[in-house]
Amino acid sequence: MKPMHATVAVLTALAVWNDVMTPLVILAGSDQNTLPLAQLNFQSQFGTNYNLAFASYLLSLIPILIFYIVCQKQILNGVVNGAVK
Amino acid sequence: MIERKTNWPAMILLILGLSTIIFPLYLTVVIAFKQPSEMTNSISGILSLPKVWSFDNFREAMRVTDFWHSLGNSLLITLVTVGLSLAIHSLMGYALGRNKAKSKFYSFVYLFIVSGMFVPFAILMMPLAKQTAELGLANWVGVILLYVVFYMPMNVLLYSGYLVNIPMALRKRQRWTGLPPGLHTGKSFSLL
């Protein structure tokens, strides 16, 4: 079950982490901004300040990258187990 | 020693594919470190390395987006959604994957859930926004609930597809080891 759990976790986490639409519709106006929602500010507040926006994108990339690397190891482990059995 | 031959067509394809990822990533990193004044309207202004590698942009970006607060919300929503998905969807996938070949009811439920993949979010958006607001779910709890439902079709499809393949492997194992069925179920559960 481990490789499948890891696959599902990666797919779901990636989709949820990067999603803008659902938080935008549901959370708009509350003070519970998610990261993509906070990053929308760069488009209006500063015109086109790509420097700040890209710095922010890089920062928000780190946690999901770590999560992906951890899960990817599980997927590879599962493949190896199956081959040995 | 194994003689290693380079597979040139595959190599060229991989390099082409990699460059489509490396180039935007390079731009992102370089632009993130530059000052706005360095972004002139020429190609060299965009592609060149920054003059000074300073983290001022990152500090400012963290202030503008209220980074730690937003990160906390993002992490909370993502982790709870993933945890709930793994728990609920794997159980659903198990039940549906094991029974849908034998039972009409289960195969109907399976098709019903999986057909949820074809509903675009844009259609649901307006009614959902109204409903969540009226139910008092216009917070992270509502977002998590919606995510668990939205990713259910995909995850159930993955889990049940994976579980359909397991019984065959286990039956083979039973033939090899020749264990009595009672002992075998214990073994197969430890395998899962």
Side-chain angles (χ1 to χ4, degrees):
Chain A
M1 266 328 257
K2 226 178 185 182
M4 209 59 220
H5 278 317
T7 312
V8 168
V10 166
L11 284 176
T12 311
L14 203 65
V16 170
W17 185 265
N18 289 328
D19 192 23
V20 185
M21 211 47 160
T22 314
L24 182 67
V25 171
I26 307 296
L27 292 180
S30 70
D31 57 346
Q32 302 174 325
N33 273 354
T34 61
L35 270 175
L37 214 51
Q39 284 164 351
L40 280 183
N41 283 338
F42 290 119
Q43 285 179 0
S44 55
Q45 204 172 328
F46 293 100
T48 47
N49 192 338
Y50 290 112
N51 303 88
L52 280 190
F54 281 19
S56 171
Y57 298 154
L58 275 184
L59 281 174
S60 71
L61 186 138
I62 297 167
I64 198 70
L65 196 67
I66 295 170
F67 182 82
Y68 174 74
I69 290 169
V70 170
C71 284
Q72 197 211 20
K73 254 179 207 153
Q74 302 299 316
I75 296 176
L76 290 180
N77 277 342
V79 171
V80 172
N81 280 342
V84 168
K85 188 186 73 183
Chain B
M1 252 331 251
I2 306 164
E3 199 183 325
R4 282 176 197 230
K5 245 174 140 184
T6 312
N7 185 351
W8 281 110
M11 188 74 129
I12 290 166
L13 272 179
L14 277 178
I15 289 174
L16 278 178
L18 188 67
S19 63
T20 61
I21 296 172
I22 288 288
F23 182 63
L25 199 62
Y26 168 78
L27 277 185
T28 312
V29 173
V30 164
I31 291 175
F33 278 99
K34 265 190 234 184
Q35 295 305 312
S37 56
E38 289 177 59
M39 303 268 292
T40 52
N41 272 337
S42 63
I43 292 180
S44 69
I46 295 169
L47 291 179
S48 64
L49 292 170
K51 289 193 189 91
V52 191
W53 293 84
S54 76
F55 284 93
D56 288 346
N57 280 337
F58 291 87
R59 212 167 294 130
E60 182 67 13
M62 282 170 85
R63 193 187 60 77
V64 171
T65 55
D66 194 3
F67 181 73
W68 296 112
H69 185 223
S70 311
L71 181 79
N73 278 325
S74 262
L75 276 179
L76 174 76
I77 289 175
T78 306
L79 290 179
V80 175
T81 304
V82 169
L84 280 178
S85 295
L86 287 189
I88 299 171
H89 298 160
S90 63
L91 293 177
M92 290 173 69
Y94 184 86
L96 292 172
R98 282 294 157 91
N99 294 314
K100 74 173 194 280
K102 287 171 283 183
S103 155
K104 254 200 174 140
F105 171 72
Y106 277 103
S107 70
F108 172 75
V109 171
Y110 174 76
L111 287 176
F112 185 75
I113 290 175
V114 169
S115 65
M117 258 194 290
F118 300 105
V119 184
F121 180 66
I123 291 177
L124 304 172
M125 209 162 63
M126 283 310 292
L128 270 181
K130 270 201 116 134
Q131 275 187 357
T132 47
E134 272 170 28
L135 292 172
L137 284 172
N139 49 28
W140 58 271
V141 179
V143 173
I144 288 170
L145 269 177
L146 287 181
Y147 278 142
V148 170
V149 175
F150 284 149
Y151 295 116
M152 182 169 71
M154 188 69 203
N155 292 347
V156 165
L157 180 81
L158 284 170
Y159 272 124
S160 61
Y162 178 75
L163 280 161
V164 161
N165 286 325
I166 284 197
M168 280 188 270
L170 286 187
R171 230 172 280 140
K172 249 185 237 158
R173 190 190 167 90
Q174 189 181 19
R175 226 181 293 139
W176 289 339
T177 52
L179 286 174
L183 270 177
H184 174 71
T185 41
K187 275 222 152 175
S188 58
F189 273 116
S190 68
L191 194 121
L192 282 177

